Amino acid sequence: MSTKLLARVALLGLAAMAALTSVAAPATAVPNLTRTSATSVADSTQTKEALAQCPAGTRVLGGGGTINGGGGNVHFIRLQALGSTDRFAAAAMEDGNYPGSWSVTAWAICGQQPAGLTYVSFVSPDNPDEHKDAAVECPDGTVAISHGVRVVGSTGHVVIGGFGPLAPTGTKANATEDQHGEPADWDLWAHAVCASSLPGQQLVWADDIPADSNPDIVTVNCPTGKRVHGLGSTINQSFGEVFHVALVPNAALTAVTATAIEDSSGAAFNWWTRVYAICAF
């Protein structure tokens, strides 16, 4: 075989190897995926909200929150991706007149706009019912890549029990009045961030089982090579006396940790927490 022919065969072999390498490498679901945060003032005001802004050129995909302080007397009333401003809102409220200082931190998951991105919501009736559920479905051809929840109208005695996946195509949420009862009419919102299915999209979760009355700190990790794009968490058997105080994607966006506690008066029953992460390449 001539020297020229050998060289041509070698070049063809390298090209074939490069093509195989390109096919084997997973696509990036959302370029420039990142986490940002913002924290409210720390004082004894009854209600606080923090808004974590996404960097220019990116969209808000999901997020979480942390209640800093509160002594078991402060719970979330909002964890929501705001598609109109590309911020993630985390709001919390005292369940009475808590004299101490506390603050709330919002964590936003941001990235370049995926195909089919849209934000959908559903609100329950506004009335004095003790317990409410809400659910929302994504538009045809899209799936949920993150979840959100909001309570509106409460004076502090409605506790979010959880929010998370409704199959792959939506969000379900629930909330219940605490043991003191809520004198005002209130409503519950379920929020979903929807998009075309991301490359390698996968829902994973972790539980803190068996049920007991101890604080839960439970972490779910994405499979190797995948990153968190959205999250959710549910407290089973909350009954308005157990709530989240943190739901945080880590800095590398490879894991989500949920922390749940009983209110300051305790709960006379056992309960457990499940945390969700929506992962993709």
Side-chain angles (χ1 to χ4, degrees):
M1 187 178 295
S2 70
T3 302
K4 286 185 178 181
L5 184 57
L6 284 171
R8 185 173 297 173
V9 169
L11 286 172
L12 288 172
L14 288 172
M17 290 177 62
L20 287 172
T21 302
S22 177
V23 170
T28 300
V30 179
N32 297 328
L33 199 67
T34 189
R35 185 190 75 168
T36 66
S37 66
T39 300
S40 72
V41 297
D43 58 24
S44 59
T45 305
Q46 185 186 23
T47 304
K48 298 183 181 71
E49 183 172 79
L51 298 169
Q53 180 70 59
C54 287
T58 64
R59 304 298 309 274
V60 63
L61 306 178
T66 303
I67 296 170
N68 310 296
N73 296 282
V74 179
H75 55 82
F76 289 115
I77 57 172
R78 188 182 198 186
L79 291 165
Q80 180 189 356
L82 305 178
S84 60
T85 59
D86 290 311
R87 296 184 294 178
F88 192 88
M93 191 175 196
E94 298 174 4
D95 64 0
N97 184 20
Y98 175 65
S101 292
W102 60 278
S103 64
V104 62
T105 297
W107 304 95
I109 301 171
C110 310
Q112 288 185 13
Q113 180 168 330
L117 181 67
T118 188
Y119 304 85
V120 296
S121 302
F122 173 83
V123 62
S124 73
D126 184 61
N127 59 37
D129 287 356
E130 180 180 357
H131 175 88
K132 290 177 183 168
D133 297 288
V136 62
E137 289 273 2
C138 289
D140 290 346
T142 64
V143 296
I145 63 169
S146 193
H147 310 291
V149 64
R150 187 182 186 187
V151 169
V152 177
S154 166
T155 63
H157 297 293
V158 176
V159 174
I160 294 169
F163 64 104
L166 177 67
T169 57
T171 295
K172 60 183 178 180
N174 70 83
T176 305
E177 295 180 9
D178 67 16
Q179 65 268 40
H180 304 293
E182 174 55 61
D185 289 353
W186 59 280
D187 55 56
L188 175 69
W189 290 78
H191 302 285
V193 180
C194 308
S196 301
S197 186
L198 304 174
Q201 183 169 329
Q202 180 179 359
L203 175 69
V204 296
W205 64 86
D207 300 321
D208 190 5
I209 296 177
D212 56 33
S213 60
N214 299 318
D216 282 356
I217 302 176
V218 54
T219 297
V220 60
N221 294 284
C222 284
T224 301
K226 297 185 180 182
R227 300 180 72 195
V228 177
H229 291 67
L231 51 85
S233 184
T234 298
I235 301 167
N236 293 271
Q237 303 181 162
S238 167
F239 300 120
E241 298 180 50
V242 184
F243 48 81
H244 293 95
V245 291
L247 188 55
V248 183
N250 69 352
L253 293 176
T254 56
V256 178
T257 298
T259 304
I261 64 171
E262 298 180 359
D263 64 25
S264 59
S265 62
F269 48 82
N270 292 332
W271 52 276
W272 56 277
T273 304
R274 172 173 286 180
V275 58
Y276 302 95
I278 298 174
C279 307
F281 288 118

